[in-house]
Amino acid sequence: LRLRLVRRELLGSAIEALGAFSEMGVRCGVLKQPLTIEYVGEAGQDAGGLRRQFFDLFTAELPASRLWTHTDAGGLRPVDRAALTAEAAAQLRPHMEACGRVCGMALYQELHRRLGVRWEPEVFAGQPPSLLGDSFARYFLRAVRHDPPATLAELQAELRAECPDSAPDYRAGPEILTRSLRESGLEGQTFVRHVGGAEVPLVEGGAVRAVCDESKAEWLQRMPPAGL
């Protein structure tokens, strides 16, 4: 498998190259073939270094696409879809498919083929190995795996994991459930989230449903997943 890329346009050329493979080709294992990377206008052969560099550079350049951003702790997550322009939204599916293919290639090429790691889910049950330049936010990976936090405590733990100690997320601590609405900064808050200049309802009729002491836990549970 040979990918011919443009170094100054690595992200776009990689997405274009990977988009050329049909779904049937992917299912038949085309992305499991030994991968080599070539750059237009550059001489030399890939002995493995360009391949590993490609995986590093690909995720590092994702925020430049305007479809990704970083959490406060530096993890990659998709930009809120409600904030996308129509043009960017139209690019979302092929872009995300290409990202998934790169991640799959990194796992297969660097772990299974090169290092001989067993290809079994339990291998990655703990901390996943670092194969990419920028890491994805932990709660985003849980969403991809269809394993969202099941309890409020789990959800708050995921929020804490994506916030530096110097700037904690006010939603992530237990105090928000015991303090008054004014002390928690929730006075006047409704069941909406703000994306740019738009309000996106968290529930039907959320714009007119005020958060109260009895509904704070429900508001907390609905707020972060809506951004995923």
Side-chain angles (χ1 to χ4, degrees):
L1 173 62
R2 189 181 305 275
L3 293 183
R4 188 168 172 80
L5 309 175
V6 180
R7 187 178 289 276
R8 292 185 178 180
E9 300 175 8
L10 184 140
L11 189 61
S13 60
I15 291 173
E16 182 179 358
L18 291 169
F21 297 111
S22 67
E23 186 65 27
M24 181 61 70
V26 173
R27 289 180 181 275
C28 290
V30 65
L31 300 182
K32 291 183 178 180
Q33 299 174 14
L35 173 66
T36 58
I37 299 294
E38 290 182 355
Y39 289 103
V40 175
E42 296 184 17
Q45 293 185 338
D46 183 9
L50 291 180
R51 181 187 65 232
R52 290 188 290 275
Q53 182 191 59
F54 164 69
F55 292 133
D56 279 342
L57 294 177
F58 184 86
T59 51
E61 293 196 10
L62 284 179
S65 70
R66 296 179 297 177
L67 297 176
W68 294 83
T69 188
H70 287 104
T71 66
D72 291 339
L76 277 170
R77 71 166 181 85
V79 169
D80 196 307
R81 184 162 187 161
L84 295 177
T85 64
E87 180 182 1
Q91 302 171 2
L92 193 60
R93 183 179 180 86
H95 178 96
M96 291 300 175
E97 285 181 347
C99 289
R101 290 175 179 184
V102 170
C103 290
M105 289 164 66
L107 285 171
Y108 190 84
Q109 301 279 345
E110 293 302 302
L111 285 182
H112 181 52
R113 181 180 295 281
R114 184 169 65 88
L115 300 181
V117 175
R118 290 177 300 138
W119 192 249
E120 299 175 15
E122 58 267 24
V123 172
F124 310 110
Q127 179 66 29
S130 177
L131 301 173
L132 302 165
D134 281 18
S135 299
F136 293 101
R138 197 170 74 177
Y139 62 75
F140 168 66
L141 292 178
R142 291 192 64 166
V144 171
R145 292 163 50 197
H146 303 288
D147 179 33
T151 66
L152 180 58
E154 282 188 24
L155 180 58
Q156 289 183 306
E158 296 298 338
L159 289 172
R160 287 194 295 273
E162 293 303 329
C163 294
D165 294 337
S166 58
D169 191 317
Y170 72 100
R171 299 170 297 175
E175 299 83 4
I176 193 171
L177 297 177
T178 57
R179 291 174 177 171
S180 68
L181 293 176
R182 176 173 294 182
E183 290 174 322
S184 300
L186 297 179
E187 195 171 44
Q189 175 68 50
T190 57
F191 275 73
V192 298
R193 58 192 175 95
H194 298 274
V195 182
E199 286 188 348
V200 180
L202 299 173
V203 296
E204 186 174 355
V208 295
R209 181 182 173 188
V211 176
C212 61
D213 288 327
E214 292 74 20
S215 64
K216 278 193 292 188
E218 180 188 357
W219 176 82
L220 276 170
Q221 287 181 297
R222 290 185 180 276
M223 176 64 82
L228 298 182

